[in-house]
Amino acid sequence: MREDLFDLLQKFREYRDKTRYGILTNGTLIDEKAARKIRTLRVDYVQVSLEGTEKINDQIRGSLSFARAVNGIKLLLRNGIKVGISMTVTKVNLQEVPKMISFCEKIGVNSLGIRRFVPIGRGKAMEKFMLSPTETKQIYEYIYKEKLRLKETKSKLTIILGCEDGILAQNEHYIPACCTAGYLSLTVLPNGDVYPCRRLPIKVGNALKDGLKEIYYKSEKLNEIRNLNNINEECQSCPYFIECRGGAKCITFGYFGTPFAPDPQCWRLFSKLPTKTFKTKVKKEVRLNKQFIEV
C-alpha cells in the first residue's frame, strides 16, 4: 500500500552496520516479487498478524484474510526470511491459542507472539472483549507450560509473550520482559512526534524540533514515566514489583487514562476488571534513588 516502502528499506540497508529492521504487516499483499525484494534488502524479520485459525481470523480481520496471509508467510519462508506470527488475545479468540501454537509449529515459522489487547484508538470500542484477570492468569500459565514444552522438544518455534508480561512474575519461575517504554524504546511518528511506545500514545517531544537525544534525557513526561516511584502504592507494596514494574503501561493507560495505575488484568489485585475511578499522583520531586532504581 505504501509506495515508498522499499525506498525506506533501501535507506536502512545503506546503514546495515548500524541498524536492525523488520516489517509488521497483515501479510495479505506479499507476493513472490515482494518476498524477493524483502530478502534482497536484508530485512531481519517479518511479523504477520493472525488472530486464530481461518474461521476466527476472518471473522476479526475480514473474509479471505487468513488464506492471503498464509500465502504471504509461505512465500517469505521460501525466500529464507525469518517470520513471526502475532496474535492479540481477547474473549473472541481465547480458545484459539492452542490451535495457533500447533499451526505455527506445522507451518514452520520462527515465533508466535501472543499479546494482550490494548484498549486505545479504535480498540476503545472493543474494550468489552478484554480478558478478565482470571482468564489472563489461566492463559498466561498455559502459555508458560507450552514455552517449556517447546524448549524441551527443541522445537524451532518460540512463543513470545511480549513486553506486557510483567504480571506473570507472580508465577515465580518466570522472568518477564516487562514494559520498555521510554527505556529501550521510542516511537517516532511521520510528523516527528515521539511516544515512549507505539502503544502508549503520550507525546513526549518532537524529533524534528527537539532531537531524540534531547527528548530521551530531558523530557519531563518521559522522566515521569521512567520513575518507578510514580507507580501506585498497591503495586509498590507487591513482592513482585521490581520484576513486574506495575505491569503493562499501555494497557493501564488505555484502561485508566494513566500509566501509573495498576494493571487492570492483574489477578493478584482484581478478580474481575476493575472500575475506572483509579487515580494516582505523580511525584515529580521524588528522585529514583530514594526508593527504587531506574532499570
Side-chain angles (χ1 to χ4, degrees):
M1 296 287 290
R2 183 166 175 151
E3 294 180 0
D4 64 348
L5 172 62
F6 293 111
D7 294 332
L8 285 168
L9 292 175
Q10 178 59 45
K11 180 60 66 174
F12 296 156
R13 186 185 179 188
E14 292 172 16
Y15 294 90
R16 191 66 177 81
D17 60 327
K18 297 181 177 67
T19 60
R20 181 172 179 267
Y21 48 95
I23 298 172
L24 279 61
T25 173
N26 62 26
T28 59
L29 297 182
I30 296 175
D31 55 17
E32 182 64 42
K33 182 179 179 182
R36 286 199 302 268
K37 278 188 177 182
I38 290 169
R39 179 189 63 195
T40 301
L41 293 167
R42 299 177 67 187
V43 173
D44 287 284
Y45 66 96
V46 176
Q47 175 183 297
V48 178
S49 297
L50 288 174
E51 309 305 347
T53 51
E54 188 166 12
K55 181 179 178 180
I56 294 295
N57 179 82
D58 288 3
Q59 178 184 326
I60 296 170
R61 288 189 164 263
S63 178
L64 300 178
S65 61
F66 183 85
R68 290 169 177 164
V70 170
N71 181 65
I73 290 168
K74 290 179 178 178
L75 289 172
L76 292 167
L77 292 172
R78 197 180 302 158
N79 278 274
I81 300 160
K82 287 186 178 180
V83 179
I85 289 176
S86 178
M87 177 185 184
T88 301
V89 181
T90 67
K91 290 181 182 294
V92 176
N93 63 352
L94 180 59
Q95 302 303 321
E96 291 288 291
V97 172
K99 298 176 187 177
M100 284 301 292
I101 293 173
S102 298
F103 170 77
C104 289
E105 282 195 277
K106 183 178 179 180
I107 200 172
V109 296
N110 299 87
S111 65
L112 170 62
I114 301 176
R115 314 299 296 266
R116 286 194 277 153
F117 173 75
V118 182
I120 59 173
R122 288 184 294 175
K124 290 294 290 182
M126 300 172 59
E127 210 169 80
K128 63 182 178 181
F129 298 119
M130 286 180 66
L131 300 182
S132 70
T134 301
E135 289 170 328
T136 304
K137 179 177 187 284
Q138 289 172 345
I139 196 62
Y140 266 7
E141 290 181 344
Y142 170 77
I143 293 168
Y144 177 70
K145 291 177 182 177
E146 283 295 284
K147 283 170 67 71
L148 293 179
R149 177 186 66 80
L150 293 172
K151 185 177 180 180
E152 290 171 359
T153 58
K154 295 182 171 55
S155 173
K156 174 184 175 181
L157 179 68
T158 300
I159 300 178
I160 301 169
L161 281 175
C163 47
E164 71 272 16
D165 67 344
I167 54 176
L168 189 53
Q170 297 170 68
N171 182 282
E172 297 186 350
H173 300 291
Y174 180 78
I175 300 174
C178 280
C179 176
T180 61
Y183 296 102
L184 302 177
S185 72
L186 291 174
T187 292
V188 184
L189 302 186
N191 66 354
D193 285 349
V194 178
Y195 291 171
C197 164
R198 64 188 176 90
R199 303 193 299 171
L200 187 61
I202 301 173
K203 183 180 175 181
V204 297
N206 184 282
L208 299 175
K209 177 183 176 183
D210 309 310
L212 287 177
K213 185 177 180 180
E214 182 80 6
I215 292 169
Y216 187 84
Y217 288 105
K218 296 185 178 180
S219 166
E220 182 177 333
K221 286 186 179 179
L222 208 51
N223 284 326
E224 285 178 1
I225 291 169
R226 287 194 292 244
N227 191 334
L228 296 183
N229 291 291
N230 290 327
I231 303 295
N232 63 91
E233 293 179 358
E234 286 86 348
C235 285
Q236 289 191 27
S237 64
C238 175
Y240 309 105
F241 177 57
I242 293 300
E243 292 81 11
C244 173
R245 300 181 218 161
K249 286 186 175 70
C250 56
I251 296 173
T252 297
F253 178 79
Y255 192 85
F256 287 113
T258 170
F260 306 119
D263 190 316
Q265 291 170 308
C266 174
W267 54 87
R268 189 171 187 269
L269 283 176
F270 309 113
S271 59
K272 60 182 181 179
L273 288 173
T275 60
K276 297 190 177 184
T277 56
F278 188 91
K279 293 183 179 179
T280 186
K281 185 178 180 182
V282 174
K283 304 164 188 170
K284 295 184 179 180
E285 303 305 318
V286 179
R287 298 272 55 89
L288 290 175
N289 58 7
K290 184 174 180 180
Q291 186 172 3
F292 298 117
I293 61 169
E294 181 176 331
V295 269

